[in-house]
Amino acid sequence: MIAAYIDEFIMLCAGAWMTAVGFGYVDLTTSPNQPWLANLVRQFKWMGPLLMLIAVILGIAAPS
């Protein structure tokens, strides 16, 4: 039971980090010869909040 909440907490933290990187609050420098990484960072704008939403839903729905 505790392990499930730890998993959701880790997902929530990862989603917060992804959101912060996606919106530019945290700088993740990308090399000019790696355009795929710059594209991935742009996708963090929607992936971070989605991951946080999934973590919250799983935390609420977790059996007690």
Side-chain angles (χ1 to χ4, degrees), residues 7-49:
D7 185 39
E8 275 95 32
F9 180 71
I10 292 171
M11 286 175 58
L12 189 68
C13 291
W17 176 80
M18 289 172 69
T19 303
V21 169
F23 285 105
Y25 295 117
V26 175
D27 187 31
L28 183 66
T29 57
T30 58
S31 174
N33 59 354
Q34 293 181 337
W36 64 271
L37 187 58
N39 186 33
L40 180 66
V41 168
R42 281 194 303 272
Q43 300 301 317
F44 281 178
K45 286 182 182 178
W46 64 268
M47 286 193 298

